[in-house]
Amino acid sequence: MTAETSQTLDRGLRVLKLLADTDHGLTVTELAAKLGVNRTVVYRLLATLEQHSLVRRDLGGRARVGLGVLGLAHQVHPLLREAALPALRSLAEDIGATAHLTLVDGSEALAVAVVEPTWTDYHVAYRTGFRHPLDRGAAGRAILAGRGMQPTPDGSRWERFADAHDGTGDDLDGRDGREATQDVLEDDGRSTVRIGTASVATSLATDQVRYVLTHGELEAGASGAAAPLLGVPGVEGSVGVVMLAEAVPERVGPRVVEAATEVSDALR
């Protein structure tokens, strides 16, 4: 005899599984098609799941797994930190700066693991649990850049990073007093686009974001470098460092990319 089941609960769990299997989230229409139900049902499912922080919707309206799932399995969060700590320790000691793993929590960036260097005379204090907007600071900007998104200078909307610089979208140069320039660094196949206090390095071969550099966005006198975590289903975040410096040394960006790759591999 087949046990009785709840159709609504089954659909809600299927939504979570579908979202966990995608790196880019799903729209209401996409979820409705995959579940074989109408959009009204999906809206109700998402609204309920959002109330429990199991699902969140980004600025583009795409649904993604929320950090509330970590509360259901309280050992998951420590496991994320544990998996990231070796790469973070190596990064902090190598660069001599505070290293961190940052994850998305709604519209904010949340530091879930922090490692400080042991040999420096001074370094930036950066605590676990620190939050800041996604569009401020290297860690948040790296996450957005990993989505292929870039805020417009006036902050009124978001646009794809490539569209903002290839002539198909609005030109950022000269708007709101900010200057956008592009330097092609042929020695390592990188192009760097600078916008205001931030710069984004992309691979010339794949046009994929490699890392983001910022200065003074979260703390006066502090600079940051961060690279997005890529290819980890259900996890959206970045790995970076923060230091007291007017500019980030040349080698830091590629080293942060290396650390982010190590953390991504550990989390898969």
Side-chain angles (χ1 to χ4, degrees):
M1 180 177 178
T2 303
E4 292 185 5
T5 61
S6 167
Q7 184 181 60
T8 301
L9 178 58
D10 177 70
R11 286 172 173 171
L13 293 174
R14 288 173 63 193
V15 167
L16 289 176
K17 289 180 180 179
L18 287 170
L19 296 179
D21 288 338
T22 177
D23 293 334
H24 308 294
L26 295 170
T27 65
V28 170
T29 300
E30 290 169 338
L31 282 168
K34 290 178 180 293
L35 293 173
V37 300
N38 62 49
R39 289 161 53 92
T40 300
V41 172
V42 174
Y43 276 117
R44 289 173 180 169
L45 291 171
L46 291 179
T48 302
L49 291 169
E50 281 185 293
Q51 287 182 350
H52 296 278
S53 300
L54 299 177
V55 166
R56 61 181 177 79
R57 276 181 272 190
D58 61 26
L59 295 174
R62 303 185 75 84
R64 301 169 185 266
V65 174
L67 287 183
V69 298
L70 300 181
L72 296 178
H74 65 277
Q75 289 300 322
V76 172
H77 210 158
L79 286 174
L80 286 174
R81 292 198 297 267
E82 183 179 347
L85 282 177
L88 293 180
R89 288 194 188 100
S90 177
L91 177 63
E93 294 298 315
D94 186 16
I95 300 300
T98 302
H100 53 84
L101 168 66
T102 299
L103 299 180
V104 171
D105 186 13
S107 62
E108 296 181 315
L110 171 65
V112 299
V114 176
V115 175
E116 298 179 352
T118 61
W119 56 269
T120 56
D121 292 330
Y122 60 88
H123 52 264
V124 176
Y126 196 84
R127 63 178 176 83
T128 300
F130 177 67
R131 295 172 178 271
H132 61 85
L134 283 175
D135 60 352
R136 302 293 294 174
R141 283 182 177 268
I143 293 170
L144 292 175
R147 297 177 184 174
M149 302 298 293
Q150 178 72 25
T152 57
D154 62 9
S156 62
R157 62 187 175 85
W158 295 82
E159 61 189 355
R160 291 197 60 79
F161 178 79
D163 293 343
H165 304 284
D166 65 4
T168 61
D170 294 328
D171 187 0
L172 295 182
D173 189 19
R175 289 195 296 165
D176 196 30
R178 301 191 184 193
E179 180 181 0
T181 62
Q182 181 164 334
D183 302 320
V184 178
L185 309 178
E186 297 182 356
D187 60 332
D188 62 357
R190 234 174 43 233
S191 70
T192 302
V193 178
R194 296 185 178 89
I195 304 173
T197 58
S199 61
V200 180
T202 62
S203 167
L204 291 177
T206 64
D207 199 33
Q208 186 178 68
V209 171
R210 300 188 70 230
Y211 58 84
V212 175
L213 307 178
T214 61
H215 176 70
E217 289 199 340
L218 296 178
E219 184 176 344
S223 292
L229 296 177
L230 301 174
V232 186
V235 176
E236 190 176 25
S238 65
V239 169
V241 294
V242 57
M243 61 184 67
L244 291 173
E246 289 300 317
V248 177
E250 177 73 18
R251 75 183 187 94
V252 173
R255 181 64 182 85
V256 165
V257 174
E258 179 183 331
T261 300
E262 293 175 5
V263 172
S264 295
D265 290 342
L267 294 179
R268 290 194 186 102

